[in-house]
Amino acid sequence: GMTKQTSKESAVATSTLAIGGLTCGTCERHVLRALDGVRGVIHVAVDLEHAQATVEHLPALADAIALVTAVR
C-alpha cells in the first residue's frame, strides 16, 4: 500500500503543481519530459482533468522552485 514508509522514502517529497493551459496530449508529454529532466525527480503524473502534475522528488536535489521553473 501507500502507507508504508521506509527510511529511504522519507527523503522523498510529493509536490502538486498547477499547470494552466494544459489541454492536449502534446502539452502533457512536454510537461512530463520537462519534469523528468529535472535532477532528483523520481516520478511524474500529469492530471489533465485537474490541470495539475504530481511529482515525487528528492527535495535535496529538486525543490519545488526547480519543478515550477521546468514547466514554464
Side-chain angles (χ1 to χ4, degrees):
M2 298 290 289
T3 51
K4 71 175 173 54
Q5 187 91 11
T6 70
S7 56
K8 185 171 70 74
E9 285 170 346
S10 62
V12 176
T14 303
S15 299
T16 304
L17 310 179
I19 34 184
L22 194 69
T23 51
C24 59
T26 313
C27 311
E28 180 183 4
R29 278 197 298 278
H30 166 75
V31 169
L32 282 170
R33 266 204 302 273
L35 289 169
D36 261 335
V38 178
R39 194 165 159 265
V41 168
I42 296 160
H43 179 73
V44 183
V46 174
D47 182 351
L48 289 176
E49 191 181 350
H50 299 103
Q52 64 190 25
T54 304
V55 186
E56 290 175 38
H57 58 104
L58 302 169
L61 292 176
D63 58 12
I65 295 152
L67 300 177
V68 170
T69 305
V71 180
R72 291 249 161 85

